[in-house]
Amino acid sequence: MSEPHIPQKAPYVVEVVAGKKYFWCRCGQSRQQPFCDGSHKGSPFTPLEWQAPKNQQAFFCGCKHSNTAPLCDGTHKSL
Ligand code: FES
Ligand code: FES
């Protein structure tokens, strides 16, 4: 299994809108982090769809190693 690129070892904080779908970049190659811009093409990675449950600040994983992707779970601290 290929390892994802690590854009940053910290989450991206985004204001999300209730009910809206977001496509989190799993490969780490997108230039529009934390979201997919299609750069994964030709790799084994695909984006992860996530729907915001409410209007909130979301902490999207920037290290691409979270066990609760697409959201940060603190794993970046041990990379
Ligand atoms: Fe990374 Fe699409 S660009 S998953
Ligand atoms: Fe990936 Fe926190 S940024 S777990």
Side-chain angles (χ1 to χ4, degrees):
M1 168 103 188
S2 300
E3 281 290 306
H5 174 69
I6 299 176
Q8 66 176 28
K9 292 181 179 175
Y12 293 92
V13 185
V14 179
E15 294 286 342
V16 296
V17 178
K20 188 174 169 187
K21 289 179 179 168
Y22 296 85
F23 293 86
W24 178 71
C25 168
R26 207 169 345 215
C27 72
Q29 301 290 351
S30 172
R31 279 172 284 177
Q32 292 171 22
Q33 292 296 331
F35 304 119
C36 174
D37 72 351
S39 296
H40 63 268
K41 288 200 181 87
S43 81
F45 294 99
T46 52
L48 178 62
E49 182 182 322
W50 179 81
Q51 188 168 22
K54 58 181 181 178
N55 292 338
Q56 65 182 105
Q57 263 191 347
F59 292 77
F60 287 97
C61 171
C63 74
K64 311 302 178 186
H65 284 73
S66 174
N67 294 307
T68 58
L71 304 179
C72 171
D73 71 350
T75 297
H76 63 268
K77 292 180 193 144
S78 61
L79 294 178

